[in-house]
Amino acid sequence: MDRDVEAWRREFAGRDRLPEPRRTDGADRAGRADRLPGRRPQEDRSAARPERPEGLTQVHEPGPLPVDPDLPDREVCWERLPADVRGRTLEKAGTVLLWWAHLTEDGAPFAVVLGDRGLCRVRPAPSEGPAREFRGERVRLEPGTLRSRSFGGGRDTAAAAGGPAAAGGPAAPGRPGAPVERLALDPAEAQNVLGHFPLDVQDFLQRPFLSGGRTVRADWYYLETVGPQDTTLFLVMCLADDRHVTAVEARRTLARGATPDRARWHAITCHRARLVRPR
């Protein structure tokens, strides 16, 4: 077992805090250890202040988002995790900012939960028997570094500017003459997903990793709902290296036959924080 996996096992072991108190009026069931994630803290409005740009982030083009209608949604996949695994994951994450769950190629559930205390991933452990075990990992958020920001709805930024962005081109803001910083995303097809977001969201998600020189791990989940007149896409994405994490949850509507640059976004909420390096 490598050092990183051993560090994650130590991080995820043991109780981290007492369960949240149960309210008696039925309005909040946070005391249930196996409840679905979803309750958010109030947005940090101080994070909406613009940051001084240091470079230019790469603009990505939207790519294909394959959809398998037979796959269950994130709520069903989450419920397929054992109750004790769900409870431990929520305990380690803290107040949930965003989450999703899906199935691996062999049909086992996999989950990602970002909370105000840490980024948690739960995946099935290698097993040859019918009994399935799960391995949890958490990377702590550095206290005081979590920032959240909501982006306005309306048409995609690229469309408002007069059309889709050129592939590989820079996105404002940035210093005049600054080089375009291209991230090494793992897996590479994450660029296809990242490209669906408006330009200012792409910039927010990529900016902490500029000049890092490290591969950025990408995870994502999406659910497409097809209606008679349009298609609704629910999209969640998380980028992380050993020092930073950024994440986004968004919903958009696209008229039938329209290209992604004509999408209308209804809700975009982003988060970023520094991570505590594993010991």
Side-chain angles (χ1 to χ4, degrees):
M1 182 178 298
D2 60 47
R3 183 172 59 185
D4 289 341
V5 172
E6 180 62 30
W8 283 329
R9 287 190 59 182
R10 291 197 306 268
E11 173 65 26
F12 219 72
R15 294 196 62 80
D16 200 57
R17 61 187 171 94
L18 294 176
E20 299 174 14
R22 183 191 299 271
R23 285 180 54 174
T24 59
D25 59 4
D28 184 1
R29 302 186 182 276
R32 290 178 51 193
D34 63 343
R35 67 181 172 89
L36 287 176
R39 192 172 292 275
R40 293 195 183 102
Q42 292 185 346
E43 180 181 342
D44 180 0
R45 299 189 181 277
S46 66
R49 293 194 297 267
E51 299 177 356
R52 181 179 178 83
E54 297 297 335
L56 299 178
T57 51
Q58 182 180 0
V59 172
H60 299 280
E61 284 288 339
L65 297 178
V67 176
D68 186 346
D70 296 328
L71 290 179
D73 60 23
R74 62 174 183 163
E75 286 83 5
V76 173
C77 295
W78 174 259
E79 290 293 339
R80 292 189 183 182
L81 289 168
D84 61 329
V85 174
R86 298 196 303 264
R88 181 63 56 82
T89 302
L90 296 177
E91 178 187 319
K92 292 294 181 179
T95 301
V96 175
L97 302 171
L98 54 79
W99 70 280
W100 70 90
H102 61 81
L103 301 182
T104 61
E105 292 182 355
D106 60 354
F110 170 91
V112 177
V113 180
L114 175 65
D116 63 352
R117 303 193 61 182
L119 172 63
C120 296
R121 297 185 180 95
V122 178
R123 62 178 184 269
S127 175
E128 297 181 356
R132 176 69 71 176
E133 294 184 353
F134 293 88
R135 177 179 298 160
E137 60 183 60
R138 176 182 69 171
V139 185
R140 292 176 182 265
L141 270 58
E142 187 175 302
T145 66
L146 176 62
R147 297 292 181 267
S148 299
R149 178 179 175 186
S150 294
F151 289 81
R155 287 172 54 193
D156 190 334
T157 305
R175 293 182 292 104
V180 176
E181 302 285 352
R182 292 176 171 83
L183 304 184
L185 298 178
D186 180 26
E189 56 264 32
Q191 297 182 26
N192 296 335
V193 183
L194 188 58
H196 282 266
F197 292 106
L199 303 188
D200 49 358
V201 177
Q202 292 192 39
D203 181 80
F204 183 95
L205 295 174
Q206 296 180 91
R207 184 154 298 278
F209 307 103
L210 297 188
S211 304
R214 295 178 296 273
T215 298
V216 177
R217 175 175 174 175
D219 295 289
W220 63 87
Y221 167 87
Y222 56 86
L223 179 65
E224 186 178 67
T225 304
V226 179
Q229 302 296 330
D230 52 36
T231 298
T232 300
L233 181 70
F234 172 72
L235 183 56
V236 194
M237 191 174 196
C238 180
L239 304 180
D241 62 5
D242 61 354
R243 198 67 187 95
H244 297 90
V245 60
T246 63
V248 58
E249 177 177 313
R251 296 180 186 274
R252 78 169 195 198
T253 301
L254 186 64
R256 298 193 67 175
T259 55
D261 59 286
R262 309 300 297 181
R264 180 169 294 277
W265 295 89
H266 303 283
I268 305 177
T269 304
C270 294
H271 312 278
R272 64 166 57 148
R274 289 198 298 270
L275 298 174
V276 176
R277 290 188 175 94
R279 297 178 181 176

